[in-house]
Amino acid sequence: MEPATRTQNPVVTGTSVLGIKYKDGIMLAADTLASYGSLARFRDVERLIKVGNTTIIGASGDISDFQYITHLLEKILIKESNTEDGHQLYARHIHEYLGRLMYGRRSKHNPLWNSMVVGGIRDGEGGTFLGFVDLQGTTYEAPTIATGYGAYIAQPILRKAVEGREDTLTEEEAEKVLEDCMRVLFYRDARSINKIQIAKVNASGISISDPRFLDTEWAFAEGIRGYGATD
Amino acid sequence: MQMYEEQKSSCPVKVPVECRFSPYTDNGGTTLAIAGDDFCVIAGDTRQSEGYSINSRYAPKVYQLSNGSVLATGGMYADGVTLVKMIEQRLEWYRHAHDKQMSSGALAQMLSTILYHKRMFPYYVWNTLGGLDEDGKGAVYSYDPVGSYEKQKWNCSGSAGHLIQPFLDNQIGFTHQKEKAPLTLERVVQVTKDAFTSATERDIYTGDNLEMFLVTQNGIEKTRVELKKD
Amino acid sequence: MEAVKQGSASVGLRSKTHVVILGLKRSPGELASYQKKLMRIDDHMGIAIAGLMSDARVLSTYMRSEAMKSKLMFDRPLPIYRIVAAIGDKAQVNTQRYGRRPYGVGLLVAGYDDAGPHLFECAPSGNFFDYYAVAIGARSQSAKTYLEKHFESFADASVEELITHGLRALRDTLQQDKELDINNCSIGIVGKGVKYHTIDGEGIQKYLDLLGDGNAAPAAATTATAGAEDTGAVPMDTD
């Protein structure tokens, strides 16, 4: 008998997603690269999405699985808004749903190969929410979150900038630290690209920036053997 | 079978770095429970780890259940969350059916059954259940992931379980000691704090915060103490 | 619809923050216990019934499992409107399909969620309505008359006042020679910061005392069969 074939590895993948809390809300960052193995296959895939009016999600891992998840979320949100009973799904509820979804799939040995960061307004009482879900159904909340390589490279920088300052960190400071981290990731993560997006949730709603290029410094390369220096 | 091979080789990416999917992960953490004559203390640290990374400094894994018992989970966090949700549903149905809360003894047996029903694909969780029994005495039950359980006076499991358990044997059970100090709530709380601050020094998976549930006849008090964050 | 009218009355009323439901309990005879009129669905929701108890149990089981699903999937208490609409859909199908019969039970659904307090009536037809105050079951028209006269004061009423109004409305559904006592009624309360809970037996006495006119004595033995005679021989027992 032929073994059941299920997703045993990701195919087209996105790399790190970063998320932090700041004074006015939540900010996420991700680049726009979708890799096919080591090939930089698609260079402008948007991995930050808006879910309803209070939640944003950033996904790393398999892009097709993420698009499927996006589809599921759209479905439940349409159902939700059709009831017109004054209730809505906030970030906390979306996070719980994704946690159950991912855990359910892993329990069938057929995972959705993603790590996701969920940010937004916590619930009807207000407050902010920043949470994580992965392919094993692992969930947690934290003031700073980084998936993939970001967990090793960006997380220490983010924690230093944010921990204990969640209520004072300004939007400009938050954006700068995220951009700095994305730059470091671009320098060190071979599956990254210098084109990023930043998404915010605050009192004025959700905004997801257009993809933009990072400023990077390569002059030093001239002094490195193999790049310019000859000796 | 042949088709399977073909599908595999049609992928141009040689030797994927990701290995085969594992449904399990270990999120570390330590839990502890001590039963007194008329009280029970259940505690756990709040760090969630994965490999050498700290996921969160505050991801509580000790849960106050709706029947007044407290369940401490350790091991795989997602399995723990799922297990607690399962238990809460069973407690709710029990309440609907019998118009009363399930006793801690009944819950202890039920938890064993729930775990054993997943014997072939276990919940990767080490549970410690604490509360008061029907006579108001402190009760602690500890479990392995497949439902083997035992009623105890004190227990410590999880990533620093092997560090703390002998310390409890000495300080709560007074093994190899002539003098036995009375087991008051204050002393148990102090022993718990000492156990966790020390374990935090030696175990990388334990730290950040200590969350304690003090169960007495008057209800449940939840307290939090900071642990070292390194 | 007839089964609902034959069941003993249930009354519900709400303020800006709380909902109270009350049920008039019947006993088939001195040797029997009183039928249950109120059921807990979740911490934020309870129901009062009038009609066939067996049908009510089917519906309450459905409501309870839906409430649990909501907690499991979204970690959120089930919005009241949604479960009421879902019951309406279930009930409507029964009126339309060959070989089925409508549910023989009317429900009052009391709940508190993010959108505030709610009091719904669910009819076997599949219709449901959101009320400030409502009564269903035998002689519920008398209770409605009372509620219509007083409902404008309910919005700012305290829980205690709601209960007193509720008991007065419930009392109006009784036969001439009958009185409310601690055995023949029960009260369910839910609201802002208050989990759904019921008051039964001795706990009701202090509210009966507040009525202040002839409800002081528990008089368990004398009214044990309250409301039993009037139904006569009904094909199916209703409560």
Side-chain angles (χ1 to χ4, degrees):
Chain A
M1 205 181 77
E2 182 184 328
T5 50
R6 300 195 171 101
T7 307
Q8 297 297 341
N9 52 51
V11 183
V12 178
T13 61
T15 185
S16 320
V17 176
L18 313 180
I20 55 170
K21 285 193 174 188
Y22 72 103
K23 177 162 80 71
D24 310 317
I26 300 294
M27 209 180 280
L28 305 188
D31 70 18
T32 61
L33 179 67
S35 309
Y36 182 56
S38 60
L39 175 71
R41 183 66 183 81
F42 305 104
R43 292 189 295 181
D44 44 17
V45 172
E46 303 192 3
R47 298 190 286 124
L48 300 178
I49 59 158
K50 173 178 178 293
V51 179
N53 300 316
T54 55
T55 308
I56 46 178
I57 294 177
S60 53
D62 192 284
I63 297 294
S64 69
D65 281 353
F66 177 57
Q67 286 173 355
Y68 169 67
I69 291 167
T70 306
H71 170 74
L72 289 182
L73 288 171
E74 267 169 22
K75 224 165 65 173
I76 60 163
L77 279 161
I78 288 169
K79 222 175 136 188
E80 183 83 9
S81 76
N82 283 346
T83 61
E84 296 187 310
D85 60 356
H87 291 271
Q88 62 168 315
L89 291 167
Y90 289 92
R92 183 167 73 81
H93 307 126
I94 301 283
H95 181 252
E96 183 73 27
Y97 173 78
L98 289 176
R100 294 335 300 162
L101 173 71
M102 301 300 269
Y103 182 85
R105 289 292 294 259
R106 84 100 216 189
S107 299
K108 288 187 224 160
H109 284 271
N110 186 17
L112 294 166
W113 211 289
N114 300 102
S115 298
M116 286 176 284
V117 183
V118 181
I121 311 294
R122 174 172 286 275
D123 54 27
E125 323 265 87
T128 56
F129 180 95
L130 183 62
F132 169 92
V133 191
D134 75 6
L135 72 169
Q136 286 161 324
T138 306
T139 55
Y140 56 85
E141 283 180 54
T144 63
I145 293 177
T147 71
Y149 256 102
Y152 307 111
I153 293 173
Q155 185 70 286
I157 306 171
L158 294 175
R159 287 205 177 131
K160 199 168 177 184
V162 178
E163 268 186 7
R165 271 186 285 243
E166 296 90 340
D167 301 326
T168 51
L169 197 73
T170 65
E171 191 157 306
E172 291 71 35
E173 289 172 317
E175 199 160 341
K176 179 165 188 310
V177 71
L178 282 181
E179 204 174 296
D180 288 347
C181 287
M182 291 309 289
R183 187 176 295 109
V184 177
L185 280 166
F186 175 58
Y187 285 138
R188 290 293 172 187
D189 176 5
R191 302 285 171 269
S192 69
I193 200 169
N194 60 342
K195 199 178 183 187
I196 65 156
Q197 281 181 291
I198 287 191
K200 298 168 198 165
V201 189
N202 52 36
S204 51
I206 294 176
S207 61
I208 303 179
S209 76
D210 288 333
R212 62 171 187 260
F213 286 97
L214 287 167
D215 296 322
T216 47
E217 175 58 65
W218 293 102
F220 64 88
E222 294 299 318
I224 297 176
R225 197 174 347 132
Y227 286 89
T230 44
D231 57 328
Chain B
M1 193 66 209
Q2 207 188 347
M3 212 178 110
Y4 179 64
E5 296 287 351
E6 271 174 21
Q7 270 185 350
K8 240 179 128 181
S9 61
S10 72
C11 177
V13 185
K14 296 284 184 214
V15 199
V17 182
E18 303 259 4
C19 59
R20 218 178 124 251
F21 175 66
S22 162
Y24 288 117
T25 185
D26 186 353
N27 299 112
T30 305
T31 57
L32 171 158
I34 300 169
D37 286 336
D38 56 352
F39 65 86
C40 189
V41 172
I42 304 96
D45 71 315
T46 68
R47 175 175 291 179
Q48 192 199 94
S49 321
E50 210 153 3
Y52 288 119
S53 299
I54 295 171
N55 284 341
S56 177
R57 300 198 190 281
Y58 187 67
K61 53 185 159 283
V62 186
Y63 302 89
Q64 188 179 329
L65 302 176
S66 58
N67 75 334
S69 302
V70 177
L71 181 67
T73 65
M76 180 172 163
Y77 188 81
D79 270 349
V81 167
T82 309
L83 179 64
V84 168
K85 286 206 159 213
M86 270 273 293
I87 292 170
E88 280 294 347
Q89 290 206 333
R90 297 283 291 264
L91 289 175
E92 185 82 350
W93 281 120
Y94 184 96
R95 198 175 153 193
H96 286 321
H98 304 290
D99 230 351
K100 65 171 186 184
Q101 296 288 7
M102 191 184 284
S103 68
S104 58
L107 173 57
Q109 176 58 50
M110 190 185 80
L111 176 53
S112 169
T113 316
I114 290 174
L115 292 168
Y116 193 77
H117 271 162
K118 270 177 68 71
R119 176 63 181 82
M120 297 308 159
F121 183 26
Y123 288 118
Y124 183 52
V125 181
W126 276 271
N127 289 291
T128 309
L129 182 67
L132 301 177
D133 64 16
E134 272 125 311
D135 306 321
K137 289 200 178 97
V140 166
Y141 300 86
S142 69
Y143 299 75
D144 77 355
V146 288
S148 159
Y149 81 113
E150 186 181 17
K151 191 171 188 210
Q152 292 175 311
K153 284 281 174 206
W154 60 89
N155 173 264
C156 183
S157 27
S159 57
H162 62 287
L163 293 177
I164 296 178
Q165 186 67 41
F167 171 69
L168 294 185
D169 294 344
N170 184 256
Q171 288 298 305
I172 304 293
F174 301 107
T175 44
H176 315 298
Q177 291 196 88
K178 283 182 186 160
E179 303 290 321
K180 294 189 182 196
L183 198 62
T184 62
L185 180 58
E186 291 69 32
R187 216 181 83 80
V188 167
V189 167
Q190 195 52 54
V191 166
T192 304
K193 286 180 185 170
D194 290 347
F196 273 89
T197 42
S198 304
T200 300
E201 295 289 333
R202 287 284 184 173
D203 176 26
I204 59 166
Y205 299 114
T206 301
D208 294 328
N209 293 281
L210 166 63
E211 203 157 73
M212 279 187 288
F213 290 79
L214 318 177
V215 187
T216 60
Q217 212 75 66
N218 305 322
I220 300 179
E221 191 195 331
K222 183 168 122 176
T223 59
R224 206 149 92 205
V225 180
E226 286 210 31
L227 295 173
K228 282 172 76 173
K229 309 249 174 310
D230 56 4
Chain C
M1 310 293 161
E2 283 311 305
V4 179
K5 283 181 195 152
Q6 281 168 14
S8 68
S10 284
V11 169
L13 57 167
R14 73 172 161 91
S15 68
K16 280 180 196 158
T17 52
H18 292 79
V19 196
V20 172
I21 45 177
L22 306 95
L24 181 66
K25 295 191 284 190
R26 275 182 191 153
S27 161
E30 280 177 59
L31 299 177
S33 62
Y34 286 85
Q35 259 302 356
K36 220 172 140 169
K37 291 288 284 182
L38 304 182
M39 296 168 107
R40 179 177 164 279
I41 301 300
D42 201 345
D43 282 340
H44 72 302
M45 187 174 7
I47 58 171
I49 66 164
L52 297 175
M53 182 63 189
S54 50
D55 283 8
R57 284 163 58 87
V58 171
L59 285 175
S60 69
T61 305
Y62 171 71
M63 293 172 82
R64 285 166 170 179
S65 66
E66 287 299 306
M68 280 187 213
K69 270 189 219 164
S70 181
K71 273 201 257 187
L72 181 74
M73 290 306 287
F74 296 105
D75 194 19
R76 148 175 97 165
L78 181 61
I80 311 299
Y81 175 87
R82 288 194 206 170
I83 187 61
V84 170
I87 288 173
D89 292 349
K90 273 172 90 77
Q92 195 283 141
V93 171
N94 289 340
T95 67
Q96 203 176 14
R97 297 250 167 103
Y98 176 77
R100 294 209 190 171
R101 64 162 178 83
Y103 288 115
V105 68
L107 300 182
L108 296 184
V109 182
Y112 186 85
D113 60 25
D114 280 355
H118 300 280
L119 173 63
F120 283 97
E121 180 203 343
C122 295
S125 61
N127 279 328
F128 56 91
F129 308 98
D130 198 352
Y131 283 100
Y132 293 107
V134 64
I136 54 171
R139 281 186 294 284
S140 56
Q141 190 51 52
S142 320
K144 278 186 188 164
T145 308
Y146 176 89
L147 294 171
E148 277 161 17
K149 207 159 130 194
H150 294 91
F151 83 93
E152 277 163 335
S153 68
F154 295 169
D156 297 307
S158 67
V159 176
E160 209 164 67
E161 286 165 342
L162 286 181
I163 293 175
T164 336
H165 280 301
L167 285 171
R168 290 213 175 99
L170 197 65
R171 186 173 58 182
D172 288 356
T173 72
L174 289 166
Q175 290 168 289
Q176 294 256 295
D177 55 334
K178 297 296 183 293
E179 274 300 339
L180 290 180
D181 64 47
I182 60 167
N183 297 310
N184 68 6
C185 57
S186 44
I187 305 171
I189 302 160
V190 67
K192 191 173 187 177
V194 184
K195 287 180 180 175
Y196 176 82
H197 65 285
T198 53
I199 303 174
D200 281 295
E202 295 296 332
I204 291 180
Q205 189 57 50
K206 73 170 198 181
Y207 297 103
L208 290 175
D209 291 344
L210 287 174
L211 299 183
D213 34 23
N215 280 296
T222 55
T223 56
T225 53
E229 307 93 315
D230 62 299
T231 52
V234 178
M236 294 174 87
D237 280 349
T238 53
D239 296 285

Short mmCIF file of all heavy atoms in Angstrom, two decimals, chain B residues 66 81-82 85-86 88-99 101, chain C residues 36 40-43 60-62 64-65 68-69 71-75 196:
data_model
loop_
_atom_site.label_atom_id
_atom_site.label_comp_id
_atom_site.label_asym_id
_atom_site.label_seq_id
_atom_site.Cartn_x
_atom_site.Cartn_y
_atom_site.Cartn_z
N SER B 66 -12.66 24.87 36.84
CA SER B 66 -13.93 25.41 37.32
C SER B 66 -14.47 24.66 38.53
O SER B 66 -15.38 25.13 39.19
CB SER B 66 -14.96 25.41 36.19
OG SER B 66 -15.13 24.11 35.70
N VAL B 81 -2.64 22.98 26.80
CA VAL B 81 -3.79 23.86 26.56
C VAL B 81 -5.00 23.04 26.11
O VAL B 81 -6.11 23.21 26.61
CB VAL B 81 -3.43 24.91 25.47
CG1 VAL B 81 -4.68 25.62 24.98
CG2 VAL B 81 -2.43 25.91 26.00
N THR B 82 -4.75 22.11 25.18
CA THR B 82 -5.83 21.28 24.65
C THR B 82 -6.42 20.41 25.74
O THR B 82 -7.64 20.29 25.87
CB THR B 82 -5.30 20.40 23.51
OG1 THR B 82 -4.62 21.23 22.58
CG2 THR B 82 -6.43 19.68 22.81
N LYS B 85 -8.63 22.39 28.02
CA LYS B 85 -9.91 22.69 27.38
C LYS B 85 -10.83 21.46 27.42
O LYS B 85 -12.03 21.59 27.66
CB LYS B 85 -9.68 23.11 25.92
CG LYS B 85 -9.10 24.50 25.79
CD LYS B 85 -9.47 25.12 24.46
CE LYS B 85 -9.36 26.63 24.53
NZ LYS B 85 -10.33 27.33 23.71
N MET B 86 -10.24 20.29 27.16
CA MET B 86 -10.99 19.04 27.23
C MET B 86 -11.58 18.84 28.61
O MET B 86 -12.76 18.53 28.77
CB MET B 86 -10.03 17.86 26.98
CG MET B 86 -9.88 17.45 25.56
SD MET B 86 -11.14 16.27 25.15
CE MET B 86 -10.64 14.89 26.19
N GLU B 88 -12.12 21.05 30.96
CA GLU B 88 -13.15 22.04 31.26
C GLU B 88 -14.49 21.66 30.63
O GLU B 88 -15.54 21.86 31.24
CB GLU B 88 -12.72 23.43 30.79
CG GLU B 88 -11.74 24.14 31.73
CD GLU B 88 -12.35 24.48 33.09
OE1 GLU B 88 -13.59 24.40 33.27
OE2 GLU B 88 -11.57 24.82 34.01
N GLN B 89 -14.45 21.09 29.44
CA GLN B 89 -15.69 20.65 28.81
C GLN B 89 -16.33 19.51 29.59
O GLN B 89 -17.53 19.49 29.82
CB GLN B 89 -15.43 20.18 27.38
CG GLN B 89 -15.08 21.31 26.45
CD GLN B 89 -15.44 21.00 25.01
OE1 GLN B 89 -15.48 19.84 24.62
NE2 GLN B 89 -15.69 22.02 24.24
N ARG B 90 -15.47 18.57 30.02
CA ARG B 90 -16.00 17.43 30.79
C ARG B 90 -16.57 17.89 32.11
O ARG B 90 -17.59 17.38 32.58
CB ARG B 90 -14.90 16.40 31.01
CG ARG B 90 -14.36 15.79 29.72
CD ARG B 90 -15.30 14.76 29.17
NE ARG B 90 -15.36 13.57 30.03
CZ ARG B 90 -14.64 12.47 29.83
NH1 ARG B 90 -13.86 12.38 28.76
NH2 ARG B 90 -14.71 11.46 30.65
N LEU B 91 -15.92 18.88 32.75
CA LEU B 91 -16.43 19.42 34.01
C LEU B 91 -17.78 20.09 33.80
O LEU B 91 -18.68 19.99 34.64
CB LEU B 91 -15.44 20.43 34.60
CG LEU B 91 -14.13 19.88 35.16
CD1 LEU B 91 -13.21 21.02 35.59
CD2 LEU B 91 -14.39 18.96 36.35
N GLU B 92 -17.90 20.77 32.66
CA GLU B 92 -19.15 21.47 32.35
C GLU B 92 -20.29 20.47 32.13
O GLU B 92 -21.38 20.65 32.68
CB GLU B 92 -18.93 22.34 31.10
CG GLU B 92 -20.09 23.21 30.72
CD GLU B 92 -20.17 24.52 31.49
OE1 GLU B 92 -19.42 24.68 32.47
OE2 GLU B 92 -21.01 25.35 31.12
N TRP B 93 -20.02 19.42 31.37
CA TRP B 93 -21.07 18.40 31.17
C TRP B 93 -21.43 17.74 32.48
O TRP B 93 -22.61 17.43 32.72
CB TRP B 93 -20.62 17.35 30.14
CG TRP B 93 -20.74 17.80 28.72
CD1 TRP B 93 -19.71 17.89 27.81
CD2 TRP B 93 -21.92 18.23 28.03
NE1 TRP B 93 -20.20 18.37 26.62
CE2 TRP B 93 -21.54 18.58 26.71
CE3 TRP B 93 -23.26 18.37 28.40
CZ2 TRP B 93 -22.45 19.05 25.77
CZ3 TRP B 93 -24.15 18.85 27.45
CH2 TRP B 93 -23.75 19.17 26.16
N TYR B 94 -20.45 17.48 33.31
CA TYR B 94 -20.71 16.88 34.62
C TYR B 94 -21.63 17.78 35.42
O TYR B 94 -22.59 17.33 36.05
CB TYR B 94 -19.39 16.68 35.37
CG TYR B 94 -19.52 15.97 36.70
CD1 TYR B 94 -19.29 14.60 36.80
CD2 TYR B 94 -19.83 16.67 37.86
CE1 TYR B 94 -19.40 13.95 38.01
CE2 TYR B 94 -19.95 16.02 39.08
CZ TYR B 94 -19.73 14.66 39.15
OH TYR B 94 -19.83 14.02 40.35
N ARG B 95 -21.36 19.08 35.38
CA ARG B 95 -22.17 20.04 36.13
C ARG B 95 -23.59 20.08 35.57
O ARG B 95 -24.56 20.14 36.32
CB ARG B 95 -21.51 21.41 36.03
CG ARG B 95 -22.00 22.35 37.10
CD ARG B 95 -21.25 23.66 37.05
NE ARG B 95 -22.11 24.70 37.58
CZ ARG B 95 -21.87 25.99 37.46
NH1 ARG B 95 -20.78 26.40 36.82
NH2 ARG B 95 -22.68 26.87 37.97
N HIS B 96 -23.73 20.06 34.26
CA HIS B 96 -25.06 20.03 33.65
C HIS B 96 -25.82 18.78 34.08
O HIS B 96 -27.00 18.83 34.39
CB HIS B 96 -24.95 20.04 32.13
CG HIS B 96 -24.54 21.36 31.55
ND1 HIS B 96 -25.00 22.55 32.04
CD2 HIS B 96 -23.74 21.68 30.52
CE1 HIS B 96 -24.50 23.54 31.33
NE2 HIS B 96 -23.71 23.04 30.40
N ALA B 97 -25.13 17.65 34.09
CA ALA B 97 -25.80 16.38 34.36
C ALA B 97 -26.14 16.19 35.83
O ALA B 97 -27.19 15.63 36.16
CB ALA B 97 -24.93 15.22 33.87
N HIS B 98 -25.26 16.64 36.71
CA HIS B 98 -25.44 16.32 38.13
C HIS B 98 -25.74 17.53 39.00
O HIS B 98 -25.93 17.37 40.21
CB HIS B 98 -24.19 15.61 38.66
CG HIS B 98 -23.83 14.39 37.88
ND1 HIS B 98 -24.59 13.25 37.91
CD2 HIS B 98 -22.82 14.13 37.03
CE1 HIS B 98 -24.05 12.34 37.12
NE2 HIS B 98 -22.96 12.86 36.56
N ASP B 99 -25.71 18.71 38.42
CA ASP B 99 -26.02 19.92 39.18
C ASP B 99 -25.08 20.12 40.37
O ASP B 99 -25.47 20.61 41.41
CB ASP B 99 -27.47 19.88 39.68
CG ASP B 99 -28.20 21.16 39.33
OD1 ASP B 99 -27.54 22.10 38.87
OD2 ASP B 99 -29.43 21.21 39.52
N GLN B 101 -20.48 20.36 41.35
CA GLN B 101 -19.12 20.32 40.85
C GLN B 101 -18.52 18.94 41.05
O GLN B 101 -18.84 18.25 42.02
CB GLN B 101 -18.24 21.35 41.59
CG GLN B 101 -18.66 22.78 41.37
CD GLN B 101 -18.33 23.28 39.98
OE1 GLN B 101 -17.90 22.53 39.11
NE2 GLN B 101 -18.57 24.56 39.75
N LYS C 36 -38.55 20.84 36.77
CA LYS C 36 -37.56 21.89 36.60
C LYS C 36 -37.99 22.85 35.49
O LYS C 36 -38.42 22.41 34.43
CB LYS C 36 -36.26 21.21 36.18
CG LYS C 36 -35.03 21.78 36.80
CD LYS C 36 -33.86 20.89 36.44
CE LYS C 36 -32.69 21.80 36.14
NZ LYS C 36 -31.44 21.13 36.02
N ARG C 40 -29.40 25.90 33.15
CA ARG C 40 -28.19 26.68 32.90
C ARG C 40 -27.59 26.21 31.58
O ARG C 40 -27.49 25.00 31.34
CB ARG C 40 -27.20 26.47 34.04
CG ARG C 40 -25.90 27.19 33.89
CD ARG C 40 -25.02 26.96 35.12
NE ARG C 40 -23.64 27.32 34.84
CZ ARG C 40 -22.78 26.55 34.21
NH1 ARG C 40 -23.13 25.35 33.80
NH2 ARG C 40 -21.55 26.96 33.99
N ILE C 41 -27.20 27.16 30.73
CA ILE C 41 -26.55 26.79 29.47
C ILE C 41 -25.06 27.02 29.59
O ILE C 41 -24.25 26.19 29.18
CB ILE C 41 -27.11 27.63 28.30
CG1 ILE C 41 -28.62 27.42 28.16
CG2 ILE C 41 -26.40 27.27 26.99
CD1 ILE C 41 -29.04 25.99 27.90
N ASP C 42 -24.69 28.13 30.18
CA ASP C 42 -23.28 28.47 30.34
C ASP C 42 -23.22 29.52 31.45
O ASP C 42 -24.25 29.92 31.97
CB ASP C 42 -22.73 29.04 29.03
CG ASP C 42 -21.21 28.93 28.95
OD1 ASP C 42 -20.58 28.70 30.00
OD2 ASP C 42 -20.66 29.09 27.84
N ASP C 43 -22.02 30.00 31.74
CA ASP C 43 -21.90 31.01 32.79
C ASP C 43 -22.63 32.30 32.42
O ASP C 43 -22.95 33.10 33.29
CB ASP C 43 -20.43 31.33 33.06
CG ASP C 43 -19.78 30.26 33.91
OD1 ASP C 43 -20.53 29.53 34.59
OD2 ASP C 43 -18.54 30.16 33.90
N SER C 60 -31.75 22.25 24.97
CA SER C 60 -30.74 22.75 25.90
C SER C 60 -29.40 22.04 25.68
O SER C 60 -28.34 22.65 25.78
CB SER C 60 -31.20 22.60 27.34
OG SER C 60 -31.23 21.25 27.71
N THR C 61 -29.48 20.75 25.37
CA THR C 61 -28.23 20.02 25.07
C THR C 61 -27.54 20.61 23.86
O THR C 61 -26.32 20.81 23.85
CB THR C 61 -28.53 18.53 24.82
OG1 THR C 61 -29.23 18.01 25.93
CG2 THR C 61 -27.26 17.74 24.59
N TYR C 62 -28.34 20.95 22.85
CA TYR C 62 -27.79 21.59 21.66
C TYR C 62 -27.16 22.93 22.02
O TYR C 62 -26.03 23.23 21.62
CB TYR C 62 -28.91 21.78 20.63
CG TYR C 62 -28.54 22.63 19.45
CD1 TYR C 62 -27.66 22.16 18.48
CD2 TYR C 62 -29.06 23.92 19.29
CE1 TYR C 62 -27.32 22.94 17.39
CE2 TYR C 62 -28.72 24.70 18.21
CZ TYR C 62 -27.84 24.22 17.26
OH TYR C 62 -27.50 24.99 16.19
N ARG C 64 -26.05 23.93 24.92
CA ARG C 64 -24.85 23.74 25.75
C ARG C 64 -23.66 23.35 24.90
O ARG C 64 -22.55 23.84 25.11
CB ARG C 64 -25.14 22.66 26.80
CG ARG C 64 -26.02 23.16 27.92
CD ARG C 64 -26.56 22.02 28.74
NE ARG C 64 -27.22 22.52 29.94
CZ ARG C 64 -27.81 21.76 30.84
NH1 ARG C 64 -27.82 20.44 30.68
NH2 ARG C 64 -28.39 22.29 31.90
N SER C 65 -23.87 22.48 23.93
CA SER C 65 -22.71 22.07 23.13
C SER C 65 -22.25 23.19 22.21
O SER C 65 -21.05 23.35 21.98
CB SER C 65 -23.00 20.78 22.37
OG SER C 65 -23.99 20.98 21.41
N MET C 68 -20.15 25.47 24.27
CA MET C 68 -18.81 24.92 24.48
C MET C 68 -17.95 25.03 23.24
O MET C 68 -16.76 25.31 23.33
CB MET C 68 -18.91 23.46 24.89
CG MET C 68 -19.24 23.32 26.35
SD MET C 68 -19.15 21.61 26.80
CE MET C 68 -20.41 21.58 28.02
N LYS C 69 -18.56 24.83 22.08
CA LYS C 69 -17.80 24.96 20.83
C LYS C 69 -17.24 26.36 20.70
O LYS C 69 -16.11 26.55 20.26
CB LYS C 69 -18.71 24.67 19.63
CG LYS C 69 -18.73 23.23 19.21
CD LYS C 69 -19.49 23.12 17.87
CE LYS C 69 -20.35 21.88 17.85
NZ LYS C 69 -21.37 21.92 16.79
N LYS C 71 -16.46 28.41 23.04
CA LYS C 71 -15.33 28.57 23.96
C LYS C 71 -14.10 27.85 23.45
O LYS C 71 -12.98 28.32 23.59
CB LYS C 71 -15.71 28.03 25.35
CG LYS C 71 -16.40 29.07 26.21
CD LYS C 71 -16.29 28.70 27.67
CE LYS C 71 -17.60 28.14 28.16
NZ LYS C 71 -17.65 27.90 29.60
N LEU C 72 -14.33 26.68 22.83
CA LEU C 72 -13.21 25.90 22.33
C LEU C 72 -12.54 26.59 21.15
O LEU C 72 -11.32 26.73 21.11
CB LEU C 72 -13.70 24.51 21.90
CG LEU C 72 -12.62 23.57 21.38
CD1 LEU C 72 -11.77 23.06 22.52
CD2 LEU C 72 -13.22 22.41 20.62
N MET C 73 -13.33 27.03 20.18
CA MET C 73 -12.76 27.54 18.93
C MET C 73 -12.30 29.00 19.01
O MET C 73 -11.34 29.38 18.36
CB MET C 73 -13.78 27.41 17.79
CG MET C 73 -14.04 25.99 17.35
SD MET C 73 -12.54 25.10 16.92
CE MET C 73 -12.11 25.86 15.37
N PHE C 74 -13.00 29.82 19.77
CA PHE C 74 -12.68 31.25 19.77
C PHE C 74 -12.39 31.80 21.17
O PHE C 74 -12.14 32.99 21.31
CB PHE C 74 -13.82 32.04 19.13
CG PHE C 74 -14.03 31.73 17.69
CD1 PHE C 74 -15.11 30.96 17.27
CD2 PHE C 74 -13.14 32.19 16.73
CE1 PHE C 74 -15.30 30.66 15.93
CE2 PHE C 74 -13.33 31.90 15.39
CZ PHE C 74 -14.40 31.14 14.99
N ASP C 75 -12.49 30.95 22.19
CA ASP C 75 -12.31 31.41 23.56
C ASP C 75 -13.23 32.59 23.85
O ASP C 75 -12.81 33.60 24.39
CB ASP C 75 -10.84 31.79 23.81
CG ASP C 75 -10.54 31.94 25.30
OD1 ASP C 75 -11.33 31.41 26.10
OD2 ASP C 75 -9.54 32.58 25.64
N TYR C 196 -24.52 33.29 35.46
CA TYR C 196 -25.88 32.78 35.57
C TYR C 196 -25.98 31.89 36.80
O TYR C 196 -25.17 30.99 37.02
CB TYR C 196 -26.26 31.99 34.32
CG TYR C 196 -27.63 31.37 34.46
CD1 TYR C 196 -28.77 32.12 34.21
CD2 TYR C 196 -27.79 30.06 34.90
CE1 TYR C 196 -30.03 31.58 34.39
CE2 TYR C 196 -29.04 29.51 35.08
CZ TYR C 196 -30.16 30.27 34.83
OH TYR C 196 -31.41 29.74 35.02
#
